Amino acid sequence: MLNVLNNNNKPYVQFITDGFSGCRAFRMSFPSYVMNWTENIGFKVLEVPYPILDQGILNATRAFVFKSPGNRMCYEQLVKPLADIKAKAGFLVIADYDDQPVYIDGEVGLPWKPWGPEQRKEEDDEWFLKMAPLFDSIVVTNDYMARKLNERTHTDNYVVIPNTVPRFLFSSPRKPPITEDKTKLRVVGTGCPLHSLGPHKDKDGNDVEGHPGDWASAEWVEFIKEGVTDGWMEYIQMGNHNWLLKDIQDKIKTVPWVAPLRYGSLYTRLNPDVVLAPLVPCVFNRCKSDLRAIEAQVASAVIMASSFDEGPYENLTFSEKIPQGFTAAQLKERLFMLGKKDNWNEVVEWGWKYLLDNGRITESDQALERYIKVLGATPKTIVPFDIM
């Protein structure tokens, strides 16, 4: 377990978050659950939709951590009032962002806008830029995001805490090495349908063609259609139907979205061989984490992930990184390269080693220590424990 220098006068951390998103789950709910069930770290986490300002709780709070604050209400009613009294009251004010919150190098969001009809404007950045200097720490998911946001704010208060996967949810046993090459592979797409924009009507009722979005990074659609039709691939789409695969909808399996608490166990029960992670190069995608990769690793699977300069998957093995513009034939060749016995076992073993050596399991001491340092407690000793 972790032993830390306790501050008995400040036994609470307040995580301010709401909703039922995966972002909340992986960045707030799962880590807070683990911290609350870890002895002797010196505090307990209160996960609440709004700050608890009761005098007794306030005096006992060492940090407020806001999930992705970005609008005027957050600034005026939550962050600014707490920042004004934090020195006197003796607590920290922290923010956590898992996606790009403001314009970076003239870009924001995705050009095909699958998450809402309104075009973001430069002036929408105002409230983040006002809040940034008020935070003791701004927690983000990768080095690129920390560097580029600091170019906007010049606040030097960014801390990288990468995403982790909870072993208590992604709980299938670590698979033994395979003894024969894989000739038919179970391929799973997770968040991918949201990375495109299906055909729809605009505000005037006119038909608008769909945009393939991240699926245009390689001939993924042709690759899947060929594999399913010819019988060397079983394809499972998590989430909503993928409109790009409507021609073979009767030949693939679609699994509806589930709440984050159920996602990990469902994912491992699907027993993927290969996970797909198509992305095109853009600022938004460079700010993304490698969550798809570590999910595959903890399931003893491999991933085929788009590769580009400063993309989220550049730390993967060579065979898992898919260059932009790969043809369906090249994707098939890479798939069967991964399915070769020796290469498969090497990649899966590397994935587990990466998870364990880099603290990418939520319950690991290294993962907990990252939060503990940010939340104002200093680790004293670390006693490792088995998370296999």
Side-chain angles (χ1 to χ4, degrees), residues 38-267:
T38 302
E39 295 183 74
N40 300 324
I41 65 170
F43 60 85
K44 292 295 182 183
V45 178
L46 308 175
E47 189 178 3
V48 292
Y50 298 101
I52 301 175
L53 301 179
D54 170 84
Q55 192 64 43
I57 299 296
L58 183 63
N59 288 338
T61 296
R62 70 171 65 198
F64 292 90
V65 185
F66 290 90
K67 183 74 196 79
S68 302
N71 58 31
R72 180 173 182 171
M73 187 276 287
C74 289
Y75 172 75
E76 292 184 345
Q77 299 183 29
L78 300 173
V79 175
K80 183 66 164 60
L82 288 173
D84 287 343
I85 64 169
K86 66 180 183 179
K88 180 178 180 181
F91 54 71
L92 304 173
V93 181
I94 300 167
D96 178 277
Y97 296 91
D98 56 292
D99 281 326
Q100 177 189 0
V102 290
Y103 271 86
I104 294 173
D105 294 341
E107 293 184 36
V108 69
L110 294 168
W112 52 92
K113 303 196 300 294
W115 296 292
E118 296 300 322
Q119 181 67 47
R120 186 179 172 90
K121 302 178 180 64
E122 286 276 5
E123 51 265 32
D124 296 332
D125 291 356
E126 174 185 1
W127 305 109
F128 172 83
L129 296 176
K130 282 186 174 182
M131 282 187 280
L134 306 180
F135 294 121
D136 295 279
S137 299
I138 300 175
V139 179
V140 296
T141 57
N142 65 37
D143 292 329
Y144 172 87
M145 189 172 174
R147 185 179 81 251
K148 300 304 285 189
L149 289 179
N150 197 49
E151 290 175 5
R152 293 286 324 262
T153 64
H154 304 288
T155 51
D156 296 320
N157 54 353
Y158 293 91
V159 178
V160 175
I161 296 184
N163 275 330
T164 59
V165 280
R167 196 70 176 102
F168 61 86
L169 292 179
F170 292 80
S171 56
S172 59
R174 180 172 175 174
K175 296 176 185 176
I178 62 174
T179 57
E180 296 180 352
D181 295 347
K182 290 180 175 287
T183 57
K184 181 173 182 177
L185 294 100
R186 177 175 292 181
V187 178
V188 175
T190 52
C192 303
L194 292 179
H195 289 206
S196 66
L197 181 64
H200 61 284
K201 293 185 181 296
D202 64 18
K203 62 181 180 180
D204 298 319
N206 300 312
D207 290 329
V208 179
E209 291 185 4
H211 191 300
D214 285 325
W215 288 91
S217 57
E219 291 184 348
W220 298 102
V221 175
E222 295 83 352
F223 162 66
I224 294 170
K225 288 181 177 180
E226 180 187 344
V228 170
T229 301
D230 292 350
W232 43 264
M233 180 193 299
E234 176 189 358
Y235 186 73
I236 302 172
Q237 181 67 67
M238 297 189 76
N240 53 303
H241 291 290
N242 189 338
W243 64 277
L244 292 163
L245 300 175
K246 62 182 180 180
D247 295 344
I248 58 168
Q249 190 61 53
D250 60 333
K251 297 182 177 67
I252 65 177
K253 181 177 181 179
T254 301
V255 180
W257 288 124
V258 296
L261 195 64
R262 297 170 55 199
Y263 172 75
S265 60
L266 171 61
Y267 180 96

Side-chain angles (χ1 to χ4, degrees), residues 363-381:
E363 299 94 319
S364 68
D365 290 334
Q366 192 175 345
L368 283 172
E369 185 177 345
R370 294 187 187 110
Y371 279 95
I372 289 168
K373 285 183 176 179
V374 170
L375 297 174
T378 306
K380 188 176 181 181
T381 60

Side-chain angles (χ1 to χ4, degrees), residues 310-341:
E310 296 197 275
Y313 301 118
E314 293 309 287
N315 62 327
L316 293 174
T317 64
F318 166 80
S319 54
E320 293 178 292
K321 294 193 291 186
I322 305 301
Q324 296 290 304
F326 246 34
T327 65
Q330 289 173 312
L331 290 169
K332 179 181 178 181
E333 181 182 5
R334 184 62 62 86
L335 178 73
F336 282 102
M337 177 197 297
L338 284 164
K340 292 289 185 182
K341 176 185 65 174

